[in-house]
mmCIF file of all heavy atoms in Angstrom:
data_model
loop_
_atom_site.group_PDB
_atom_site.id
_atom_site.type_symbol
_atom_site.label_atom_id
_atom_site.label_comp_id
_atom_site.label_asym_id
_atom_site.label_seq_id
_atom_site.Cartn_x
_atom_site.Cartn_y
_atom_site.Cartn_z
ATOM 1 N N THR C 493 -15.622 -8.433 15.321
ATOM 2 C CA THR C 493 -16.177 -7.701 16.399
ATOM 3 C C THR C 493 -16.867 -6.387 15.950
ATOM 4 O O THR C 493 -17.815 -5.983 16.572
ATOM 5 C CB THR C 493 -15.041 -7.417 17.353
ATOM 6 O OG1 THR C 493 -13.984 -6.711 16.632
ATOM 7 C CG2 THR C 493 -14.434 -8.633 17.918
ATOM 8 N N ASP C 494 -16.378 -5.817 14.857
ATOM 9 C CA ASP C 494 -17.062 -4.549 14.327
ATOM 10 C C ASP C 494 -18.449 -4.824 13.897
ATOM 11 O O ASP C 494 -19.465 -4.087 14.125
ATOM 12 C CB ASP C 494 -16.243 -3.940 13.277
ATOM 13 C CG ASP C 494 -14.964 -3.151 13.777
ATOM 14 O OD1 ASP C 494 -14.937 -2.968 15.055
ATOM 15 O OD2 ASP C 494 -14.127 -2.820 12.990
ATOM 16 N N ARG C 495 -18.649 -5.874 13.187
ATOM 17 C CA ARG C 495 -19.958 -6.335 12.611
ATOM 18 C C ARG C 495 -20.933 -6.544 13.820
ATOM 19 O O ARG C 495 -22.121 -6.246 13.730
ATOM 20 C CB ARG C 495 -19.827 -7.515 11.748
ATOM 21 C CG ARG C 495 -19.325 -7.224 10.417
ATOM 22 C CD ARG C 495 -19.050 -8.523 9.641
ATOM 23 N NE ARG C 495 -18.637 -8.257 8.202
ATOM 24 C CZ ARG C 495 -18.197 -9.168 7.295
ATOM 25 N NH1 ARG C 495 -18.027 -10.408 7.816
ATOM 26 N NH2 ARG C 495 -17.868 -8.857 6.164
ATOM 27 N N LYS C 496 -20.505 -7.136 14.951
ATOM 28 C CA LYS C 496 -21.334 -7.344 15.999
ATOM 29 C C LYS C 496 -21.961 -6.079 16.634
ATOM 30 O O LYS C 496 -23.066 -6.164 17.054
ATOM 31 C CB LYS C 496 -20.535 -8.143 17.117
ATOM 32 C CG LYS C 496 -20.310 -9.459 16.771
ATOM 33 C CD LYS C 496 -19.577 -10.094 17.995
ATOM 34 C CE LYS C 496 -19.312 -11.579 17.694
ATOM 35 N NZ LYS C 496 -18.543 -12.289 18.851
ATOM 36 N N VAL C 497 -21.328 -4.966 16.541
ATOM 37 C CA VAL C 497 -21.752 -3.695 17.123
ATOM 38 C C VAL C 497 -22.217 -2.764 16.065
ATOM 39 O O VAL C 497 -22.492 -1.584 16.377
ATOM 40 C CB VAL C 497 -20.673 -3.006 18.053
ATOM 41 C CG1 VAL C 497 -20.313 -3.928 19.185
ATOM 42 C CG2 VAL C 497 -19.361 -2.760 17.236
ATOM 43 N N GLY C 498 -22.363 -3.260 14.826
ATOM 44 C CA GLY C 498 -22.839 -2.377 13.733
ATOM 45 C C GLY C 498 -21.745 -1.389 13.298
ATOM 46 O O GLY C 498 -22.137 -0.395 12.599
ATOM 47 N N LYS C 499 -20.525 -1.576 13.519
ATOM 48 C CA LYS C 499 -19.412 -0.753 13.021
ATOM 49 C C LYS C 499 -19.131 -1.231 11.628
ATOM 50 O O LYS C 499 -18.206 -2.080 11.475
ATOM 51 C CB LYS C 499 -18.241 -0.762 13.978
ATOM 52 C CG LYS C 499 -17.148 0.358 13.637
ATOM 53 C CD LYS C 499 -16.064 0.449 14.636
ATOM 54 C CE LYS C 499 -15.020 1.428 14.235
ATOM 55 N NZ LYS C 499 -13.910 1.500 15.238
ATOM 56 N N MET C 500 -19.798 -0.746 10.590
ATOM 57 C CA MET C 500 -19.502 -1.280 9.317
ATOM 58 C C MET C 500 -18.539 -0.478 8.453
ATOM 59 O O MET C 500 -18.763 0.347 7.674
ATOM 60 C CB MET C 500 -20.906 -1.188 8.547
ATOM 61 C CG MET C 500 -21.931 -2.059 9.237
ATOM 62 S SD MET C 500 -21.450 -3.783 9.319
ATOM 63 C CE MET C 500 -21.326 -4.322 7.634
ATOM 64 N N THR C 501 -17.266 -0.809 8.826
ATOM 65 C CA THR C 501 -16.127 -0.255 8.242
ATOM 66 C C THR C 501 -16.047 -0.789 6.793
ATOM 67 O O THR C 501 -16.857 -1.680 6.428
ATOM 68 C CB THR C 501 -14.760 -0.603 8.955
ATOM 69 O OG1 THR C 501 -14.688 -1.997 8.855
ATOM 70 C CG2 THR C 501 -14.807 -0.193 10.349
ATOM 71 N N LEU C 502 -15.180 -0.270 5.973
ATOM 72 C CA LEU C 502 -15.048 -0.751 4.670
ATOM 73 C C LEU C 502 -14.792 -2.266 4.530
ATOM 74 O O LEU C 502 -15.460 -2.991 3.751
ATOM 75 C CB LEU C 502 -14.028 0.069 3.808
ATOM 76 C CG LEU C 502 -13.935 -0.201 2.343
ATOM 77 C CD1 LEU C 502 -15.197 0.088 1.596
ATOM 78 C CD2 LEU C 502 -12.850 0.570 1.679
ATOM 79 N N PRO C 503 -13.752 -2.655 5.289
ATOM 80 C CA PRO C 503 -13.580 -4.111 5.240
ATOM 81 C C PRO C 503 -14.761 -4.958 5.721
ATOM 82 O O PRO C 503 -15.036 -5.971 5.268
ATOM 83 C CB PRO C 503 -12.371 -4.370 6.130
ATOM 84 C CG PRO C 503 -11.552 -3.090 6.024
ATOM 85 C CD PRO C 503 -12.635 -2.028 5.937
ATOM 86 N N ALA C 504 -15.442 -4.402 6.746
ATOM 87 C CA ALA C 504 -16.573 -5.123 7.289
ATOM 88 C C ALA C 504 -17.761 -5.223 6.156
ATOM 89 O O ALA C 504 -18.453 -6.110 6.111
ATOM 90 C CB ALA C 504 -17.185 -4.443 8.530
ATOM 91 N N ARG C 505 -17.755 -4.250 5.287
ATOM 92 C CA ARG C 505 -18.778 -4.214 4.164
ATOM 93 C C ARG C 505 -18.286 -5.120 2.975
ATOM 94 O O ARG C 505 -19.110 -5.901 2.353
ATOM 95 C CB ARG C 505 -18.965 -2.750 3.620
ATOM 96 C CG ARG C 505 -19.755 -1.940 4.669
ATOM 97 C CD ARG C 505 -19.775 -0.495 4.231
ATOM 98 N NE ARG C 505 -20.496 0.286 5.145
ATOM 99 C CZ ARG C 505 -21.862 0.361 5.322
ATOM 100 N NH1 ARG C 505 -22.644 -0.283 4.547
ATOM 101 N NH2 ARG C 505 -22.381 1.233 6.268
ATOM 102 N N ILE C 506 -17.079 -4.985 2.578
ATOM 103 C CA ILE C 506 -16.629 -5.714 1.335
ATOM 104 C C ILE C 506 -15.916 -6.884 1.590
ATOM 105 O O ILE C 506 -15.652 -7.797 0.680
ATOM 106 C CB ILE C 506 -15.686 -4.815 0.475
ATOM 107 C CG1 ILE C 506 -14.258 -4.488 1.268
ATOM 108 C CG2 ILE C 506 -16.360 -3.473 0.204
ATOM 109 C CD1 ILE C 506 -13.353 -3.678 0.453
ATOM 110 N N GLY C 507 -15.610 -7.309 2.897
ATOM 111 C CA GLY C 507 -14.957 -8.512 3.245
ATOM 112 C C GLY C 507 -13.388 -8.398 3.064
ATOM 113 O O GLY C 507 -12.843 -7.560 2.508
ATOM 114 N N ALA C 508 -12.781 -9.354 3.904
ATOM 115 C CA ALA C 508 -11.311 -9.317 4.000
ATOM 116 C C ALA C 508 -10.538 -9.497 2.575
ATOM 117 O O ALA C 508 -9.530 -8.806 2.514
ATOM 118 C CB ALA C 508 -10.779 -10.333 4.968
ATOM 119 N N PRO C 509 -11.004 -10.426 1.766
ATOM 120 C CA PRO C 509 -10.195 -10.535 0.558
ATOM 121 C C PRO C 509 -10.225 -9.262 -0.316
ATOM 122 O O PRO C 509 -9.128 -8.916 -0.848
ATOM 123 C CB PRO C 509 -11.039 -11.741 -0.113
ATOM 124 C CG PRO C 509 -11.586 -12.507 0.896
ATOM 125 C CD PRO C 509 -12.036 -11.531 1.994
ATOM 126 N N ALA C 510 -11.334 -8.666 -0.471
ATOM 127 C CA ALA C 510 -11.348 -7.397 -1.122
ATOM 128 C C ALA C 510 -10.636 -6.334 -0.513
ATOM 129 O O ALA C 510 -9.978 -5.445 -1.199
ATOM 130 C CB ALA C 510 -12.821 -6.993 -1.527
ATOM 131 N N ALA C 511 -10.561 -6.261 0.820
ATOM 132 C CA ALA C 511 -9.895 -5.234 1.565
ATOM 133 C C ALA C 511 -8.351 -5.509 1.392
ATOM 134 O O ALA C 511 -7.599 -4.440 1.271
ATOM 135 C CB ALA C 511 -10.156 -5.282 2.980
ATOM 136 N N ARG C 512 -7.920 -6.659 1.388
ATOM 137 C CA ARG C 512 -6.554 -7.050 1.117
ATOM 138 C C ARG C 512 -6.133 -6.565 -0.230
ATOM 139 O O ARG C 512 -5.064 -6.088 -0.522
ATOM 140 C CB ARG C 512 -6.253 -8.517 1.345
ATOM 141 C CG ARG C 512 -6.256 -8.862 2.822
ATOM 142 C CD ARG C 512 -5.913 -10.384 3.093
ATOM 143 N NE ARG C 512 -5.582 -10.713 4.405
ATOM 144 C CZ ARG C 512 -6.454 -11.202 5.379
ATOM 145 N NH1 ARG C 512 -7.767 -11.263 5.049
ATOM 146 N NH2 ARG C 512 -6.039 -11.453 6.508
ATOM 147 N N ALA C 513 -6.947 -6.860 -1.240
ATOM 148 C CA ALA C 513 -6.642 -6.461 -2.563
ATOM 149 C C ALA C 513 -6.563 -4.934 -2.746
ATOM 150 O O ALA C 513 -5.657 -4.335 -3.405
ATOM 151 C CB ALA C 513 -7.741 -6.942 -3.524
ATOM 152 N N LEU C 514 -7.410 -4.164 -1.972
ATOM 153 C CA LEU C 514 -7.334 -2.658 -1.916
ATOM 154 C C LEU C 514 -5.980 -2.279 -1.433
ATOM 155 O O LEU C 514 -5.392 -1.312 -1.829
ATOM 156 C CB LEU C 514 -8.532 -2.237 -1.234
ATOM 157 C CG LEU C 514 -8.614 -0.585 -1.071
ATOM 158 C CD1 LEU C 514 -8.554 0.035 -2.497
ATOM 159 C CD2 LEU C 514 -9.854 -0.196 -0.349
ATOM 160 N N TYR C 515 -5.594 -2.884 -0.313
ATOM 161 C CA TYR C 515 -4.276 -2.598 0.334
ATOM 162 C C TYR C 515 -3.125 -2.668 -0.760
ATOM 163 O O TYR C 515 -2.322 -1.801 -0.820
ATOM 164 C CB TYR C 515 -4.025 -3.570 1.436
ATOM 165 C CG TYR C 515 -2.765 -3.390 2.227
ATOM 166 C CD1 TYR C 515 -2.714 -2.921 3.535
ATOM 167 C CD2 TYR C 515 -1.533 -3.828 1.697
ATOM 168 C CE1 TYR C 515 -1.556 -2.711 4.228
ATOM 169 C CE2 TYR C 515 -0.285 -3.739 2.420
ATOM 170 C CZ TYR C 515 -0.304 -3.097 3.646
ATOM 171 O OH TYR C 515 0.884 -2.991 4.320
ATOM 172 N N VAL C 516 -3.118 -3.718 -1.489
ATOM 173 C CA VAL C 516 -2.170 -3.904 -2.550
ATOM 174 C C VAL C 516 -2.197 -2.747 -3.644
ATOM 175 O O VAL C 516 -1.205 -2.209 -4.021
ATOM 176 C CB VAL C 516 -2.305 -5.206 -3.226
ATOM 177 C CG1 VAL C 516 -1.330 -5.362 -4.421
ATOM 178 C CG2 VAL C 516 -2.052 -6.422 -2.202
ATOM 179 N N ALA C 517 -3.433 -2.474 -3.999
ATOM 180 C CA ALA C 517 -3.602 -1.362 -5.048
ATOM 181 C C ALA C 517 -3.052 -0.014 -4.594
ATOM 182 O O ALA C 517 -2.422 0.741 -5.297
ATOM 183 C CB ALA C 517 -5.119 -1.298 -5.447
ATOM 184 N N LEU C 518 -3.455 0.302 -3.249
ATOM 185 C CA LEU C 518 -2.999 1.469 -2.690
ATOM 186 C C LEU C 518 -1.450 1.534 -2.526
ATOM 187 O O LEU C 518 -0.853 2.574 -2.738
ATOM 188 C CB LEU C 518 -3.601 1.763 -1.355
ATOM 189 C CG LEU C 518 -5.137 2.055 -1.413
ATOM 190 C CD1 LEU C 518 -5.776 2.032 -0.054
ATOM 191 C CD2 LEU C 518 -5.381 3.429 -2.002
ATOM 192 N N THR C 519 -0.853 0.447 -2.169
ATOM 193 C CA THR C 519 0.642 0.396 -2.130
ATOM 194 C C THR C 519 1.191 0.636 -3.506
ATOM 195 O O THR C 519 2.233 1.343 -3.652
ATOM 196 C CB THR C 519 1.128 -1.017 -1.526
ATOM 197 O OG1 THR C 519 0.533 -1.292 -0.277
ATOM 198 C CG2 THR C 519 2.522 -1.054 -1.517
ATOM 199 N N VAL C 520 0.768 0.027 -4.531
ATOM 200 C CA VAL C 520 1.194 0.304 -5.908
ATOM 201 C C VAL C 520 1.022 1.764 -6.183
ATOM 202 O O VAL C 520 1.988 2.363 -6.849
ATOM 203 C CB VAL C 520 0.397 -0.535 -6.929
ATOM 204 C CG1 VAL C 520 0.768 -0.085 -8.346
ATOM 205 C CG2 VAL C 520 0.754 -2.034 -6.629
ATOM 206 N N LEU C 521 -0.060 2.403 -5.895
ATOM 207 C CA LEU C 521 -0.274 3.811 -6.077
ATOM 208 C C LEU C 521 0.742 4.610 -5.459
ATOM 209 O O LEU C 521 1.365 5.605 -6.091
ATOM 210 C CB LEU C 521 -1.718 4.190 -5.599
ATOM 211 C CG LEU C 521 -1.984 5.765 -5.589
ATOM 212 C CD1 LEU C 521 -1.940 6.300 -7.042
ATOM 213 C CD2 LEU C 521 -3.364 5.980 -4.926
ATOM 214 N N ALA C 522 1.097 4.315 -4.151
ATOM 215 C CA ALA C 522 2.030 5.156 -3.400
ATOM 216 C C ALA C 522 3.409 5.012 -4.100
ATOM 217 O O ALA C 522 4.261 6.112 -4.129
ATOM 218 C CB ALA C 522 2.198 4.680 -1.975
ATOM 219 N N TYR C 523 3.846 3.911 -4.585
ATOM 220 C CA TYR C 523 5.069 3.749 -5.294
ATOM 221 C C TYR C 523 5.128 4.414 -6.719
ATOM 222 O O TYR C 523 6.135 4.648 -7.275
ATOM 223 C CB TYR C 523 5.537 2.325 -5.295
ATOM 224 C CG TYR C 523 6.108 1.930 -3.884
ATOM 225 C CD1 TYR C 523 5.280 1.322 -2.894
ATOM 226 C CD2 TYR C 523 7.376 2.284 -3.622
ATOM 227 C CE1 TYR C 523 5.903 1.013 -1.740
ATOM 228 C CE2 TYR C 523 8.013 1.967 -2.369
ATOM 229 C CZ TYR C 523 7.206 1.299 -1.391
ATOM 230 O OH TYR C 523 7.640 1.047 -0.165
ATOM 231 N N ALA C 524 3.974 4.565 -7.285
ATOM 232 C CA ALA C 524 3.893 5.170 -8.623
ATOM 233 C C ALA C 524 4.069 6.682 -8.546
ATOM 234 O O ALA C 524 4.351 7.303 -9.456
ATOM 235 C CB ALA C 524 2.517 4.823 -9.262
ATOM 236 N N VAL C 525 3.703 7.258 -7.384
ATOM 237 C CA VAL C 525 3.755 8.751 -7.248
ATOM 238 C C VAL C 525 5.172 9.333 -7.514
ATOM 239 O O VAL C 525 5.254 10.204 -8.378
ATOM 240 C CB VAL C 525 3.267 9.219 -5.800
ATOM 241 C CG1 VAL C 525 3.748 10.586 -5.479
ATOM 242 C CG2 VAL C 525 1.769 8.949 -5.657
ATOM 243 N N PRO C 526 6.251 8.804 -6.868
ATOM 244 C CA PRO C 526 7.519 9.362 -7.155
ATOM 245 C C PRO C 526 7.923 9.196 -8.615
ATOM 246 O O PRO C 526 8.563 10.114 -9.234
ATOM 247 C CB PRO C 526 8.568 8.641 -6.262
ATOM 248 C CG PRO C 526 7.679 8.009 -5.106
ATOM 249 C CD PRO C 526 6.292 7.832 -5.850
ATOM 250 N N LEU C 527 7.530 8.118 -9.277
ATOM 251 C CA LEU C 527 7.813 7.929 -10.672
ATOM 252 C C LEU C 527 7.128 9.012 -11.534
ATOM 253 O O LEU C 527 7.756 9.586 -12.446
ATOM 254 C CB LEU C 527 7.398 6.582 -11.135
ATOM 255 C CG LEU C 527 8.189 5.331 -10.595
ATOM 256 C CD1 LEU C 527 7.420 4.110 -10.882
ATOM 257 C CD2 LEU C 527 9.562 5.297 -11.120
ATOM 258 N N TRP C 528 5.851 9.277 -11.220
ATOM 259 C CA TRP C 528 5.168 10.397 -11.949
ATOM 260 C C TRP C 528 5.807 11.747 -11.672
ATOM 261 O O TRP C 528 5.961 12.449 -12.753
ATOM 262 C CB TRP C 528 3.671 10.396 -11.485
ATOM 263 C CG TRP C 528 2.854 11.293 -12.256
ATOM 264 C CD1 TRP C 528 2.197 11.063 -13.359
ATOM 265 C CD2 TRP C 528 2.658 12.771 -11.955
ATOM 266 N NE1 TRP C 528 1.488 12.200 -13.786
ATOM 267 C CE2 TRP C 528 1.885 13.236 -12.991
ATOM 268 C CE3 TRP C 528 3.179 13.593 -11.033
ATOM 269 C CZ2 TRP C 528 1.467 14.612 -13.090
ATOM 270 C CZ3 TRP C 528 2.791 14.927 -11.006
ATOM 271 C CH2 TRP C 528 1.949 15.398 -12.102
ATOM 272 N N LEU C 529 6.247 12.013 -10.546
ATOM 273 C CA LEU C 529 6.873 13.296 -10.265
ATOM 274 C C LEU C 529 8.113 13.416 -11.110
ATOM 275 O O LEU C 529 8.445 14.599 -11.545
ATOM 276 C CB LEU C 529 7.195 13.460 -8.802
ATOM 277 C CG LEU C 529 5.916 13.713 -7.888
ATOM 278 C CD1 LEU C 529 6.392 13.752 -6.372
ATOM 279 C CD2 LEU C 529 5.191 14.885 -8.248
ATOM 280 N N VAL C 530 8.905 12.477 -11.238
ATOM 281 C CA VAL C 530 10.135 12.503 -12.050
ATOM 282 C C VAL C 530 9.844 12.571 -13.523
ATOM 283 O O VAL C 530 10.427 13.403 -14.195
ATOM 284 C CB VAL C 530 11.068 11.283 -11.719
ATOM 285 C CG1 VAL C 530 12.237 11.224 -12.707
ATOM 286 C CG2 VAL C 530 11.448 11.334 -10.217
ATOM 287 N N VAL C 531 8.950 11.749 -14.020
ATOM 288 C CA VAL C 531 8.725 11.627 -15.394
ATOM 289 C C VAL C 531 7.850 12.813 -16.010
ATOM 290 O O VAL C 531 8.199 13.422 -16.978
ATOM 291 C CB VAL C 531 7.990 10.232 -15.775
ATOM 292 C CG1 VAL C 531 7.623 10.286 -17.264
ATOM 293 C CG2 VAL C 531 9.029 9.037 -15.403
ATOM 294 N N SER C 532 6.831 13.176 -15.205
ATOM 295 C CA SER C 532 5.866 14.167 -15.713
ATOM 296 C C SER C 532 5.903 15.517 -15.074
ATOM 297 O O SER C 532 5.435 16.430 -15.678
ATOM 298 C CB SER C 532 4.414 13.533 -15.471
ATOM 299 O OG SER C 532 4.267 12.315 -16.115
ATOM 300 N N ALA C 533 6.494 15.651 -13.945
ATOM 301 C CA ALA C 533 6.526 16.931 -13.221
ATOM 302 C C ALA C 533 7.888 17.545 -13.112
ATOM 303 O O ALA C 533 8.050 18.638 -12.688
ATOM 304 C CB ALA C 533 5.864 16.807 -11.863
ATOM 305 N N GLY C 534 8.937 16.827 -13.564
ATOM 306 C CA GLY C 534 10.220 17.429 -13.681
ATOM 307 C C GLY C 534 11.006 17.429 -12.404
ATOM 308 O O GLY C 534 12.086 18.161 -12.224
ATOM 309 N N TYR C 535 10.566 16.631 -11.434
ATOM 310 C CA TYR C 535 11.352 16.618 -10.120
ATOM 311 C C TYR C 535 12.560 15.704 -10.367
ATOM 312 O O TYR C 535 12.643 14.900 -11.197
ATOM 313 C CB TYR C 535 10.431 16.155 -8.982
ATOM 314 C CG TYR C 535 9.524 17.179 -8.474
ATOM 315 C CD1 TYR C 535 8.331 17.454 -9.009
ATOM 316 C CD2 TYR C 535 9.968 17.955 -7.370
ATOM 317 C CE1 TYR C 535 7.427 18.407 -8.544
ATOM 318 C CE2 TYR C 535 9.124 18.913 -6.853
ATOM 319 C CZ TYR C 535 7.780 19.194 -7.433
ATOM 320 O OH TYR C 535 7.079 20.189 -6.901
ATOM 321 N N SER C 536 13.558 15.883 -9.433
ATOM 322 C CA SER C 536 14.826 15.201 -9.502
ATOM 323 C C SER C 536 14.636 13.640 -9.419
ATOM 324 O O SER C 536 13.821 13.234 -8.617
ATOM 325 C CB SER C 536 15.788 15.704 -8.402
ATOM 326 O OG SER C 536 16.870 14.793 -8.218
ATOM 327 N N PRO C 537 15.410 12.971 -10.203
ATOM 328 C CA PRO C 537 15.433 11.546 -10.001
ATOM 329 C C PRO C 537 15.779 10.979 -8.626
ATOM 330 O O PRO C 537 15.536 9.777 -8.255
ATOM 331 C CB PRO C 537 16.376 10.968 -11.021
ATOM 332 C CG PRO C 537 16.587 12.010 -12.034
ATOM 333 C CD PRO C 537 16.219 13.322 -11.260
ATOM 334 N N TRP C 538 16.323 11.833 -7.803
ATOM 335 C CA TRP C 538 16.591 11.528 -6.339
ATOM 336 C C TRP C 538 15.290 11.058 -5.650
ATOM 337 O O TRP C 538 15.338 10.439 -4.698
ATOM 338 C CB TRP C 538 17.213 12.669 -5.681
ATOM 339 C CG TRP C 538 18.676 12.781 -5.938
ATOM 340 C CD1 TRP C 538 19.245 13.932 -6.553
ATOM 341 C CD2 TRP C 538 19.767 11.979 -5.508
ATOM 342 N NE1 TRP C 538 20.686 13.737 -6.722
ATOM 343 C CE2 TRP C 538 20.952 12.604 -6.043
ATOM 344 C CE3 TRP C 538 19.902 10.834 -4.686
ATOM 345 C CZ2 TRP C 538 22.249 11.971 -5.799
ATOM 346 C CZ3 TRP C 538 21.097 10.250 -4.446
ATOM 347 C CH2 TRP C 538 22.324 10.857 -4.879
ATOM 348 N N CYS C 539 14.156 11.510 -6.121
ATOM 349 C CA CYS C 539 12.859 11.168 -5.608
ATOM 350 C C CYS C 539 12.671 9.620 -5.516
ATOM 351 O O CYS C 539 11.972 9.080 -4.711
ATOM 352 C CB CYS C 539 11.674 11.752 -6.337
ATOM 353 S SG CYS C 539 11.574 13.492 -6.159
ATOM 354 N N LEU C 540 13.317 8.926 -6.467
ATOM 355 C CA LEU C 540 13.274 7.542 -6.642
ATOM 356 C C LEU C 540 14.044 6.762 -5.488
ATOM 357 O O LEU C 540 13.941 5.572 -5.418
ATOM 358 C CB LEU C 540 13.759 7.065 -7.888
ATOM 359 C CG LEU C 540 13.085 7.702 -9.175
ATOM 360 C CD1 LEU C 540 13.606 7.109 -10.450
ATOM 361 C CD2 LEU C 540 11.581 7.475 -9.181
ATOM 362 N N LEU C 541 14.653 7.519 -4.530
ATOM 363 C CA LEU C 541 15.171 6.893 -3.378
ATOM 364 C C LEU C 541 14.126 6.126 -2.625
ATOM 365 O O LEU C 541 14.347 5.211 -1.945
ATOM 366 C CB LEU C 541 15.759 7.946 -2.449
ATOM 367 C CG LEU C 541 17.298 8.347 -2.675
ATOM 368 C CD1 LEU C 541 17.668 9.505 -1.717
ATOM 369 C CD2 LEU C 541 18.165 7.138 -2.549
ATOM 370 N N SER C 542 12.898 6.634 -2.632
ATOM 371 C CA SER C 542 11.684 5.923 -1.970
ATOM 372 C C SER C 542 11.517 4.576 -2.325
ATOM 373 O O SER C 542 11.021 3.771 -1.641
ATOM 374 C CB SER C 542 10.471 6.892 -2.260
ATOM 375 O OG SER C 542 10.171 6.936 -3.591
#
Side-chain angles (χ1 to χ4, degrees):
T493 53
D494 284 346
R495 284 174 174 170
K496 285 183 179 180
V497 297
K499 187 176 182 180
M500 298 305 294
T501 62
L502 184 60
R505 290 178 182 275
I506 66 177
R512 285 182 166 92
L514 180 58
Y515 180 105
V516 174
L518 289 169
T519 300
V520 171
L521 171 63
Y523 280 94
V525 164
L527 291 170
W528 185 90
L529 289 178
V530 172
V531 173
S532 300
Y535 281 85
S536 167
W538 282 109
C539 292
L540 301 181
L541 275 176
S542 56

